Amino acid sequence: MSEHKNSSYISAKESRKITRFNRRVTKKLEREREAAGHDPSLYTTVMKDPNNVVEFDNVCTYFFSDNGVVKAVDGVNFSVPKCSTVGVVGESGCGKSVTSLSLMQLLQRPSGQTVGGQIRFNLGDGTAYDIVKTPTSKMQEIRGNKISMIFQEPMTSLNPVFRIGNQVDEVIKLHNPQMSDEDVKARTLEMLDMVGIANREGVYRMYPHELSGGMRQRIMIAIALACSPTLIIADEPTTALDVTIQAQILDLLQGLKDKLNSSIMLITHDLGVVAGMADYVVVMYAGRVVEKGTADDIFHHPMHPYTIGLMRSKPVVGRKVDELYSIPGSVPNPVNMPDYCYFRDRCELTCDRCKGLYPPEIKISDTHIVSCYRYYEDGEVLGQPKSVNVEEL
Amino acid sequence: MEEKKNISQQAVPPAEGAREHGGEYLVEVENLVKWFPIKSSFFRLTIGNVRAVDGISFKIRRGQTMGLVGESGCGKSTAGRTMLRLLEPTSGEVYFDGQPLSALSRQELRKLRPRMQIVFQDPYSSLSPRLPVGEIIGEAVREHKIVPREEYDDYISRVMRACGLPEYYKDRYPHEFSGGQRQRICIARALALNPDFIVCDEPVSALDVSIQAQIINLLKRLQKDFGFTYLFISHDLSVVEHISDTVGVMYLGSMVEYTGTEKIFSHPLHPYTEALFSAIPVPDPDVKINRIILKGSLPSPANPPHGCKFHTRCEKCMEVCKYAVPEWTEVEPEHWCACHLYDSPQQKAAAEAAMEEAKAKGISEDGPQETL
């Protein structure tokens, strides 16, 4: 692979080599996963901090594609505390959606694999599951019940051939098999009421195409919250909606979160939405976390040049600038990531240290952590995100 | 490029007898209406109309940018397209540089086309995948004979450079480019014809934040260099505030408010504008704005509510709003608004008379409601 590092051209020989390698590695990983599934001791662990709902510990999710290994998520570290909202921000392709899909085990297998790290999910009774190794049968009990997801496009994520009532009923029935049909329907209607649908009996009998985008997103929220999950993953919940509807949906989510004592992992590229909703913010770039902290840390004292650039490139109502800042260059090729800081080639604030390896995480304050050499002297150095060497697999 | 601009202007002298239009304003829209008929499946009879654009009026000054905002489905894009006569207007008139567009024949319109261009929303579907970039940009240049043949190659290179595209991209195909680069190609295509007026139909909605900034800066720079007039259609209010000189707000096919950008953001008059602007997310966790959350969603444009179209969702709805259509008036100098809250005494009297009349006719108070 190394001969053609700087071009996208792949010869037939190389292509065959890649395919063979991918097949070998994915088969091995699948076998390992199957073996781990039979032994609960392999996938049960304990949380580092029992007040967290989820802890991502050096998670590496790679895609074994025909062009080589794409390191979509490469050593991501952060946690979601109980009853709080964590916003994950970044441009498209930075790995924020893949992070959430890894947590749900919804990756496109076998090409997409979580090859390293731990995702610890708190079960609430002192134990935790390591989602990476949890077998599918156990995952099915968690998905929709303890962790649920609201997808980006309400237009395409509802099944067009089933009635709304049916689709909400299904979730409740699946996770509560002992419930009678009447109870299930009552619970569905209660959920529809909760998400602010006025004509709930009517909507129960409707098909998705009869509803507007905002209404469909409400149904998605109703489905996600039907089993009172401890964690709600909202993957760009308002991107496809208008500003006025966006305000309604965000308001609703915030209200329901407090009512159900859940946590929200809010994935978005809109800094405005994050500022209004999130308690903690995680900024991702090219598969790695570049900065994390409380909303106050990130918005009032942004440190990483990427975070600063991102904030300056978005026009803000009431703040007059002649020209918007635009980050020069583009994201590096995901197949051949450099070993130095991924942002160095686009950064205007480089220093001598930047020539070295990828910067370690630096702890500026108790809550604020940044990966940038500019702050090397200002805080405690925590260590680099660990990448998995695919050749060793 | 400047001398070329003169050539294209000479080709289309302003029509005589239309002198009261033009001058300070490049584009004037008067009562523009576009209805799409709904046909029955049987006999193809027209059983109703979707009132996509229902009587809008405004003027755009030369070299300025007008922002057009509103929720999806309120007719922003239809308004933009009807203004260029890409869609035939149902009624109303658009004056482009003093010329009424609806009176022009096909040949005359064709001559005028290079002067008004459009940049579409989706850079992935608005470029032909079979043409190389040079041809995409140059096709219309050749067709309209903007430059002599021997200068053609040079000219295309110049246009590409102006839009931040390296010359050697000429022989590449659109699929080789990212979204931001494609949008640059779309802008270059519009720019190559030396237009006076460009309709930008959500040019940055499909792009990432950092790429958005690049495209907005490009549009602004080109305006400074070449003096373009833009109609900037977008649902992203912060982008509109950044780029526009004037802002028009649309709701359900009608314009509800139109004025300078600073004025409309500092003190909006219409309740819809107020609600819309309060919903803008602010990237500052300490700012807790008093959000006005609108109830429900947009009523159907095929069956809009009686009276003021916004009354079903309005917080300040009065009795008269349910029956009488508010007039489009200049409430303050250069500040137009259509709302009963700002009626003059005469208008108030007229509106009340209209209300009595409507009540006598027995139009139900609620009017047609949305299905939910």
PDB file of all heavy atoms in Angstrom, chain B residues 73-91:
ATOM      1  N   GLY B  73     -41.816  25.502   2.119  1.00  0.00           N
ATOM      2  CA  GLY B  73     -43.181  25.437   1.616  1.00  0.00           C
ATOM      3  C   GLY B  73     -43.893  26.762   1.627  1.00  0.00           C
ATOM      4  O   GLY B  73     -45.095  26.827   1.377  1.00  0.00           O
ATOM      5  N   CYS B  74     -43.172  27.868   1.918  1.00  0.00           N
ATOM      6  CA  CYS B  74     -43.866  29.155   1.939  1.00  0.00           C
ATOM      7  C   CYS B  74     -43.767  29.862   0.590  1.00  0.00           C
ATOM      8  O   CYS B  74     -44.273  30.949   0.420  1.00  0.00           O
ATOM      9  CB  CYS B  74     -43.328  30.050   3.046  1.00  0.00           C
ATOM     10  SG  CYS B  74     -41.699  30.702   2.682  1.00  0.00           S
ATOM     11  N   GLY B  75     -43.105  29.263  -0.381  1.00  0.00           N
ATOM     12  CA  GLY B  75     -43.086  29.826  -1.721  1.00  0.00           C
ATOM     13  C   GLY B  75     -41.872  30.674  -2.055  1.00  0.00           C
ATOM     14  O   GLY B  75     -41.899  31.400  -3.034  1.00  0.00           O
ATOM     15  N   LYS B  76     -40.795  30.572  -1.252  1.00  0.00           N
ATOM     16  CA  LYS B  76     -39.603  31.364  -1.545  1.00  0.00           C
ATOM     17  C   LYS B  76     -39.000  31.000  -2.892  1.00  0.00           C
ATOM     18  O   LYS B  76     -38.724  31.865  -3.717  1.00  0.00           O
ATOM     19  CB  LYS B  76     -38.494  31.140  -0.500  1.00  0.00           C
ATOM     20  CG  LYS B  76     -38.908  31.090   0.927  1.00  0.00           C
ATOM     21  CD  LYS B  76     -37.684  30.970   1.812  1.00  0.00           C
ATOM     22  CE  LYS B  76     -37.083  29.572   1.854  1.00  0.00           C
ATOM     23  NZ  LYS B  76     -37.867  28.592   2.586  1.00  0.00           N
ATOM     24  N   SER B  77     -38.791  29.687  -3.097  1.00  0.00           N
ATOM     25  CA  SER B  77     -38.140  29.256  -4.328  1.00  0.00           C
ATOM     26  C   SER B  77     -39.016  29.528  -5.535  1.00  0.00           C
ATOM     27  O   SER B  77     -38.533  29.956  -6.575  1.00  0.00           O
ATOM     28  CB  SER B  77     -37.823  27.767  -4.264  1.00  0.00           C
ATOM     29  OG  SER B  77     -36.880  27.538  -3.280  1.00  0.00           O
ATOM     30  N   THR B  78     -40.315  29.291  -5.393  1.00  0.00           N
ATOM     31  CA  THR B  78     -41.241  29.566  -6.492  1.00  0.00           C
ATOM     32  C   THR B  78     -41.189  31.046  -6.847  1.00  0.00           C
ATOM     33  O   THR B  78     -41.183  31.405  -8.022  1.00  0.00           O
ATOM     34  CB  THR B  78     -42.673  29.179  -6.101  1.00  0.00           C
ATOM     35  OG1 THR B  78     -42.637  27.891  -5.539  1.00  0.00           O
ATOM     36  CG2 THR B  78     -43.592  29.185  -7.299  1.00  0.00           C
ATOM     37  N   ALA B  79     -41.122  31.898  -5.838  1.00  0.00           N
ATOM     38  CA  ALA B  79     -41.036  33.335  -6.096  1.00  0.00           C
ATOM     39  C   ALA B  79     -39.783  33.641  -6.907  1.00  0.00           C
ATOM     40  O   ALA B  79     -39.849  34.358  -7.912  1.00  0.00           O
ATOM     41  CB  ALA B  79     -41.024  34.107  -4.775  1.00  0.00           C
ATOM     42  N   GLY B  80     -38.646  33.065  -6.514  1.00  0.00           N
ATOM     43  CA  GLY B  80     -37.395  33.306  -7.217  1.00  0.00           C
ATOM     44  C   GLY B  80     -37.463  32.862  -8.664  1.00  0.00           C
ATOM     45  O   GLY B  80     -37.046  33.563  -9.575  1.00  0.00           O
ATOM     46  N   ARG B  81     -38.043  31.699  -8.881  1.00  0.00           N
ATOM     47  CA  ARG B  81     -38.115  31.162 -10.243  1.00  0.00           C
ATOM     48  C   ARG B  81     -39.111  31.912 -11.091  1.00  0.00           C
ATOM     49  O   ARG B  81     -38.896  32.114 -12.292  1.00  0.00           O
ATOM     50  CB  ARG B  81     -38.469  29.680 -10.199  1.00  0.00           C
ATOM     51  CG  ARG B  81     -37.297  28.885  -9.724  1.00  0.00           C
ATOM     52  CD  ARG B  81     -37.612  27.441  -9.565  1.00  0.00           C
ATOM     53  NE  ARG B  81     -36.537  26.830  -8.779  1.00  0.00           N
ATOM     54  CZ  ARG B  81     -36.226  25.567  -8.856  1.00  0.00           C
ATOM     55  NH1 ARG B  81     -36.879  24.760  -9.642  1.00  0.00           N
ATOM     56  NH2 ARG B  81     -35.242  25.082  -8.125  1.00  0.00           N
ATOM     57  N   THR B  82     -40.227  32.310 -10.498  1.00  0.00           N
ATOM     58  CA  THR B  82     -41.233  33.054 -11.263  1.00  0.00           C
ATOM     59  C   THR B  82     -40.687  34.421 -11.660  1.00  0.00           C
ATOM     60  O   THR B  82     -40.990  34.926 -12.735  1.00  0.00           O
ATOM     61  CB  THR B  82     -42.519  33.223 -10.430  1.00  0.00           C
ATOM     62  OG1 THR B  82     -42.815  31.978  -9.820  1.00  0.00           O
ATOM     63  CG2 THR B  82     -43.684  33.625 -11.295  1.00  0.00           C
ATOM     64  N   MET B  83     -39.866  35.000 -10.788  1.00  0.00           N
ATOM     65  CA  MET B  83     -39.290  36.305 -11.110  1.00  0.00           C
ATOM     66  C   MET B  83     -38.432  36.254 -12.353  1.00  0.00           C
ATOM     67  O   MET B  83     -38.352  37.211 -13.114  1.00  0.00           O
ATOM     68  CB  MET B  83     -38.442  36.801  -9.941  1.00  0.00           C
ATOM     69  CG  MET B  83     -39.234  37.490  -8.860  1.00  0.00           C
ATOM     70  SD  MET B  83     -38.230  37.689  -7.404  1.00  0.00           S
ATOM     71  CE  MET B  83     -37.069  38.892  -7.970  1.00  0.00           C
ATOM     72  N   LEU B  84     -37.752  35.142 -12.581  1.00  0.00           N
ATOM     73  CA  LEU B  84     -36.894  35.003 -13.762  1.00  0.00           C
ATOM     74  C   LEU B  84     -37.677  34.469 -14.957  1.00  0.00           C
ATOM     75  O   LEU B  84     -37.115  34.199 -16.000  1.00  0.00           O
ATOM     76  CB  LEU B  84     -35.736  34.063 -13.466  1.00  0.00           C
ATOM     77  CG  LEU B  84     -34.776  34.465 -12.363  1.00  0.00           C
ATOM     78  CD1 LEU B  84     -33.639  33.481 -12.280  1.00  0.00           C
ATOM     79  CD2 LEU B  84     -34.224  35.851 -12.631  1.00  0.00           C
ATOM     80  N   ARG B  85     -38.962  34.267 -14.769  1.00  0.00           N
ATOM     81  CA  ARG B  85     -39.830  33.649 -15.780  1.00  0.00           C
ATOM     82  C   ARG B  85     -39.346  32.257 -16.166  1.00  0.00           C
ATOM     83  O   ARG B  85     -39.461  31.851 -17.307  1.00  0.00           O
ATOM     84  CB  ARG B  85     -39.975  34.531 -17.010  1.00  0.00           C
ATOM     85  CG  ARG B  85     -41.441  34.953 -17.212  1.00  0.00           C
ATOM     86  CD  ARG B  85     -41.651  35.760 -18.440  1.00  0.00           C
ATOM     87  NE  ARG B  85     -42.289  34.982 -19.495  1.00  0.00           N
ATOM     88  CZ  ARG B  85     -42.492  35.454 -20.737  1.00  0.00           C
ATOM     89  NH1 ARG B  85     -42.109  36.675 -21.049  1.00  0.00           N
ATOM     90  NH2 ARG B  85     -43.079  34.718 -21.635  1.00  0.00           N
ATOM     91  N   LEU B  86     -38.749  31.556 -15.211  1.00  0.00           N
ATOM     92  CA  LEU B  86     -38.510  30.131 -15.417  1.00  0.00           C
ATOM     93  C   LEU B  86     -39.830  29.412 -15.245  1.00  0.00           C
ATOM     94  O   LEU B  86     -40.050  28.327 -15.754  1.00  0.00           O
ATOM     95  CB  LEU B  86     -37.482  29.607 -14.414  1.00  0.00           C
ATOM     96  CG  LEU B  86     -36.063  30.128 -14.570  1.00  0.00           C
ATOM     97  CD1 LEU B  86     -35.184  29.631 -13.446  1.00  0.00           C
ATOM     98  CD2 LEU B  86     -35.482  29.729 -15.898  1.00  0.00           C
ATOM     99  N   LEU B  87     -40.720  30.016 -14.467  1.00  0.00           N
ATOM    100  CA  LEU B  87     -42.107  29.573 -14.355  1.00  0.00           C
ATOM    101  C   LEU B  87     -42.944  30.755 -14.826  1.00  0.00           C
ATOM    102  O   LEU B  87     -42.640  31.886 -14.497  1.00  0.00           O
ATOM    103  CB  LEU B  87     -42.461  29.246 -12.892  1.00  0.00           C
ATOM    104  CG  LEU B  87     -41.742  28.089 -12.236  1.00  0.00           C
ATOM    105  CD1 LEU B  87     -42.005  28.102 -10.740  1.00  0.00           C
ATOM    106  CD2 LEU B  87     -42.208  26.789 -12.820  1.00  0.00           C
ATOM    107  N   GLU B  88     -43.983  30.496 -15.605  1.00  0.00           N
ATOM    108  CA  GLU B  88     -44.828  31.590 -16.076  1.00  0.00           C
ATOM    109  C   GLU B  88     -45.681  32.099 -14.922  1.00  0.00           C
ATOM    110  O   GLU B  88     -46.382  31.313 -14.280  1.00  0.00           O
ATOM    111  CB  GLU B  88     -45.738  31.106 -17.206  1.00  0.00           C
ATOM    112  CG  GLU B  88     -45.038  30.924 -18.534  1.00  0.00           C
ATOM    113  CD  GLU B  88     -44.453  32.217 -19.099  1.00  0.00           C
ATOM    114  OE1 GLU B  88     -45.083  33.282 -18.906  1.00  0.00           O
ATOM    115  OE2 GLU B  88     -43.368  32.164 -19.706  1.00  0.00           O
ATOM    116  N   PRO B  89     -45.641  33.403 -14.638  1.00  0.00           N
ATOM    117  CA  PRO B  89     -46.485  33.907 -13.552  1.00  0.00           C
ATOM    118  C   PRO B  89     -47.972  33.827 -13.917  1.00  0.00           C
ATOM    119  O   PRO B  89     -48.321  33.957 -15.090  1.00  0.00           O
ATOM    120  CB  PRO B  89     -46.033  35.356 -13.392  1.00  0.00           C
ATOM    121  CG  PRO B  89     -45.316  35.702 -14.633  1.00  0.00           C
ATOM    122  CD  PRO B  89     -44.785  34.436 -15.219  1.00  0.00           C
ATOM    123  N   THR B  90     -48.811  33.601 -12.922  1.00  0.00           N
ATOM    124  CA  THR B  90     -50.254  33.577 -13.157  1.00  0.00           C
ATOM    125  C   THR B  90     -50.750  35.000 -13.401  1.00  0.00           C
ATOM    126  O   THR B  90     -51.564  35.237 -14.282  1.00  0.00           O
ATOM    127  CB  THR B  90     -50.971  32.960 -11.938  1.00  0.00           C
ATOM    128  OG1 THR B  90     -50.352  31.725 -11.641  1.00  0.00           O
ATOM    129  CG2 THR B  90     -52.445  32.750 -12.208  1.00  0.00           C
ATOM    130  N   SER B  91     -50.278  35.932 -12.604  1.00  0.00           N
ATOM    131  CA  SER B  91     -50.558  37.336 -12.878  1.00  0.00           C
ATOM    132  C   SER B  91     -49.495  38.171 -12.185  1.00  0.00           C
ATOM    133  O   SER B  91     -48.614  37.633 -11.520  1.00  0.00           O
ATOM    134  CB  SER B  91     -51.957  37.720 -12.392  1.00  0.00           C
ATOM    135  OG  SER B  91     -51.976  37.773 -10.990  1.00  0.00           O
TER     136      SER B  91
END
